[in-house]
Amino acid sequence: ALRPQERVLGQLIRSMAAELFGELSDRPGFHDAMELLLDAQRGCAARDILRSSDSDQHLLSIWTTMVKGMTSGWPEGR
């Protein structure tokens, strides 16, 4: 029952991210980074009652580092 709705929501999130990040969404690795983030968010939501938010911060830090690496050399404000 959840699978069709998750696909609709996932596609909406992906299209919003592509719009938000503009040209960056065409760079190699962008879609992989988004899938990693979406999977991490799903995992965090599923295990929220078992672990602390410190784990979430660590995952967010890793993802942020990846995206910064992808955007190095881009003008500020992108």
Side-chain angles (χ1 to χ4, degrees), residues 1 6 8-9 27 30 33 35-36 40 43 46 50 54 60:
E6 192 282 329
V8 170
L9 180 59
R27 292 191 73 175
F30 177 83
E35 289 306 313
L36 177 63
L50 301 175
D54 293 340
L60 181 58

Side-chain angles (χ1 to χ4, degrees), residues 2-78:
L2 291 177
R3 192 173 292 169
Q5 295 305 314
E6 192 282 329
R7 286 182 182 147
V8 170
L9 180 59
Q11 186 56 42
L12 178 62
I13 291 170
R14 288 175 192 90
S15 96
M16 289 174 69
E19 183 178 328
L20 176 68
F21 288 102
E23 293 175 15
L24 176 62
S25 66
D26 295 329
R27 292 191 73 175
F30 177 83
H31 294 287
D32 290 338
M34 284 305 304
E35 289 306 313
L36 177 63
L37 177 62
L38 291 173
D39 282 351
Q41 288 176 323
R42 287 181 194 105
C44 289
R47 65 155 177 76
D48 191 39
I49 59 171
L50 301 175
R51 294 193 180 169
S52 71
S53 62
D54 293 340
S55 297
D56 297 346
Q57 290 301 318
H58 179 69
L59 290 173
L60 181 58
S61 175
I62 292 169
W63 186 81
T64 301
T65 300
M66 287 176 51
V67 171
K68 284 181 179 179
M70 290 170 49
T71 60
S72 65
W74 279 64
E76 288 296 318
R78 286 247 181 205

